[in-house]
Amino acid sequence: MKVAFPRRRGRLFCEEVDLARLADREGTPVFVYSRRHLLERLAELKRSWTGRDPLICYSVKANSNLAVIKTLLEAGAGLDVVSGGELKRGLKAGARADRIVFAGVGKTRDEITAGLKAGVLYFTVESLPELEAIDAAAAGMGKRAAVAFRVNPHVDPRTHRFITTGTVENKFGLDLEQAREAFRRCARLGYVEPVGLQMHIGSQITAPGPFEKALKKLLALYRELRGSGFKLAYLDLGGGMGISYDGRPVPSARDYSRRLAPLLKDCPARLVLEPGRWLVGGAGILLTRVTYLKKQPIKNFVIVDAAMNDLIRPALYDAFHRIEPVAVRRRTKIRADVVGPVCESGDFLGKDRVLPEPRPGDLLAVRDAGAYGFTMSSNYNSRPRPSEVMVAGKRYRVVRKRESVADLWRGETIPDFSRAK
Ligand code: LLP
């Protein structure tokens, strides 16, 4: 696998594109994505499951830019979507509906109808009331809806508590008993067809153990249900494979498949995977420019033009992202917090970082910002959201233009009673 962000003579590149030049032309803050990295990761994941030919449904929430979705679709991915908006995005990017799985705990009637109309492969169902709602919507359309039940295996994935989804305390999925009940319910309802089982135990998981534990439970249920006559064509293991944010090694895709594939040996179901971060996280960086260096008696602050509204992961999860100068220059090192201009103490991109002393105008790269970066961005403090750029070899394209200030109040109106005297 080639390095997506190589350094040449001290300058940081994305593939063959000099990032300092790109920033001069396109402005900052800007998210930059390597197309090659996306393709290589998808190919690596496929290779690691040879013989099983899993349907890899890229989890659109990680990065829903049309160009990113399109790149992965063209390389053979399907999609995992969680809202009507993501479904429409996927279709807009050219996805085949029968390669889309539709997840989420709170699908509305409109979203269910949209999924049925499009003809998604299946809905992942997370509660009995949702099953009834899908049945009713399908009945109204005279269609049958394919459903896979999300099982909560009650396994601790040992990740941040905000991104843990497979324990008793989480809102996600059905426990084993509820799942059995759901299958019985299907037999009584006329318009839902159970086609599979799904699990997703959390995100940024960096060991195969929790997957293995959860899969064993899922497989026990799978066998039991097949024994009772349910065919179950799909077994969906969700997403969650973590990446290295600090440079320390994490298990490879093959490390996971090596542990999980033997368990699946006699399982005839088509395997479905829903990776998000693992495919796109390392493909992106956030480029930002230093506005000020503020030296204080006990702390230094590098104030940059990107903020928590652009990349909220550090503020929300205390997440670590490497921050590097785009051009390496010989300077004395300082220890500083890298912070944005937003009016919150939680507005930081990095704490206590040792960096060559930055000067105003210098560029910094926040690494591994391809997943849950732009998709979680906001307009807080009336900050237009950054542009997004995709690099392919020597070429690059702006794949989402920077928001303008006028975009900030698009759709707002001043009511007539405020003008009335
Ligand atoms: N499938 C389901 C049902 C999910 O809920 C998720 C993510 C995925 C797949 C993809 O997970 P991944 O492979 O990316 O771990 N905003 C957080 C992560 C939230 C993940 C939510 N669900 C973060 O920035 O770390």
Side-chain angles (χ1 to χ4, degrees):
M1 191 156 160
K2 283 194 179 159
V3 181
F5 296 93
R7 220 172 248 292
R8 304 204 175 112
R9 279 170 278 108
R11 299 167 75 90
L12 193 63
F13 280 64
C14 177
E15 302 188 17
E16 319 296 322
V17 171
D18 182 328
L19 288 170
R21 282 218 188 129
L22 184 150
D24 285 344
R25 285 170 56 174
E26 304 305 332
T28 53
V30 53
F31 283 96
V32 183
Y33 309 129
S34 158
R35 181 167 191 273
R36 193 173 65 207
H37 186 92
L38 297 174
L39 296 173
E40 287 183 355
R41 292 293 267 194
L42 185 61
E44 184 184 334
L45 188 55
K46 278 189 195 158
R47 268 200 315 276
S48 68
W49 284 94
T50 26
R52 280 250 47 134
D53 185 29
L55 176 59
I56 299 175
C57 289
Y58 164 58
S59 193
V60 169
K61 62 176 85 70
N63 187 322
S64 50
N65 187 289
L66 292 175
V68 171
I69 299 175
K70 183 76 178 174
T71 302
L72 293 169
L73 286 176
E74 281 175 349
L79 302 177
D80 154 49
V81 302
V82 286
S83 68
E86 284 191 353
L87 174 65
K88 297 264 160 65
R89 264 184 188 279
L91 296 172
K92 169 108 185 139
R96 267 174 47 186
D98 63 357
R99 293 168 70 82
I100 298 180
V101 297
F102 197 155
V105 289
K107 297 176 207 75
T108 63
R109 178 76 180 236
D110 283 351
E111 288 175 319
I112 294 167
T113 306
L116 285 168
K117 247 193 208 141
V120 295
L121 182 62
Y122 54 77
F123 292 95
T124 309
V125 174
E126 306 216 18
S127 68
L128 294 172
E130 187 197 344
L131 180 65
E132 309 254 344
I134 293 174
D135 184 72
M141 296 169 73
K143 276 193 169 186
R144 278 174 79 79
V147 295
F149 290 103
R150 175 165 177 178
V151 176
N152 185 332
H154 297 167
V155 166
D156 182 0
R158 298 193 292 268
T159 181
H160 191 282
R161 66 192 168 90
F162 286 6
I163 48 177
T164 293
T165 48
T167 73
V168 197
E169 286 169 21
N170 301 125
K171 69 179 173 185
F172 299 99
L174 303 156
D175 64 26
L176 295 175
E177 200 32 60
Q178 288 167 336
R180 289 186 188 101
E181 169 59 24
F183 277 90
R184 286 194 289 271
R185 194 76 61 93
C186 281
R188 271 187 273 128
L189 297 168
Y191 294 87
V192 278
E193 166 109 26
V195 298
L197 285 177
Q198 193 261 13
M199 69 176 199
H200 172 78
I201 55 176
S203 195
Q204 185 52 18
I205 300 167
T206 51
F211 286 105
E212 193 178 28
K213 244 188 188 166
L215 179 57
K216 281 184 180 159
K217 292 192 181 181
L218 195 71
L219 279 170
L221 180 64
Y222 178 86
R223 288 192 191 106
E224 180 190 319
L225 290 164
R226 274 192 64 99
S228 328
F230 292 103
K231 286 216 182 61
L232 304 186
Y234 300 98
L235 195 72
D236 182 338
L237 309 191
M241 282 194 302
I243 60 170
S244 172
Y245 283 98
D246 59 8
R248 273 182 290 188
V250 294
S252 67
R254 199 174 286 278
D255 291 332
Y256 288 101
S257 66
R258 235 185 247 130
R259 285 279 284 275
L260 303 181
L263 304 178
L264 292 161
K265 215 167 50 212
D266 305 319
C267 175
R270 175 101 195 257
L271 191 62
V272 180
L273 304 172
E274 303 174 355
R277 184 192 324 263
W278 196 87
L279 290 175
V280 299
I285 56 156
L286 174 61
L287 269 184
T288 180
R289 216 178 265 285
V290 176
T291 313
Y292 301 110
L293 175 62
K294 180 169 172 176
K295 289 186 168 173
Q296 309 265 84
I298 52 163
K299 220 173 178 141
N300 300 316
F301 295 96
V302 179
I303 303 173
V304 297
D305 65 1
M308 66 188 287
N309 73 293
D310 305 308
L311 180 67
I312 203 172
R313 303 195 68 258
L316 194 56
Y317 315 115
D318 220 356
F320 178 90
H321 286 258
R322 283 173 292 165
I323 302 176
E324 300 169 5
V326 167
V328 174
R329 299 197 176 90
R330 226 176 275 147
R331 302 225 181 109
T332 51
K333 298 225 161 139
I334 62 158
R335 181 181 291 274
D337 287 6
V338 180
V339 302
V342 163
C343 306
E344 301 239 7
S345 296
D347 178 26
F348 64 91
L349 298 172
K351 291 219 152 149
D352 278 321
R353 300 304 175 85
V354 178
L355 290 163
E357 185 168 309
R359 295 189 190 149
D362 282 359
L363 288 165
L364 297 177
V366 184
R367 300 295 300 261
D368 306 307
Y372 307 108
F374 188 90
T375 49
M376 294 180 84
S377 66
S378 78
N379 291 119
Y380 187 41
N381 276 207
S382 280
R383 289 170 48 82
R385 281 178 297 170
S387 49
E388 295 175 279
V389 165
M390 183 176 279
V391 171
K394 285 189 200 121
R395 293 182 297 169
Y396 77 80
R397 295 283 181 273
V398 175
V399 292
R400 190 181 206 276
K401 67 177 192 199
R402 185 177 306 286
E403 282 180 338
S404 70
V405 174
D407 287 335
L408 294 174
W409 48 79
R410 188 160 51 105
E412 294 179 31
T413 42
I414 295 170
D416 53 358
F417 42 73
S418 126
R419 286 190 290 258
K421 279 270 142 54

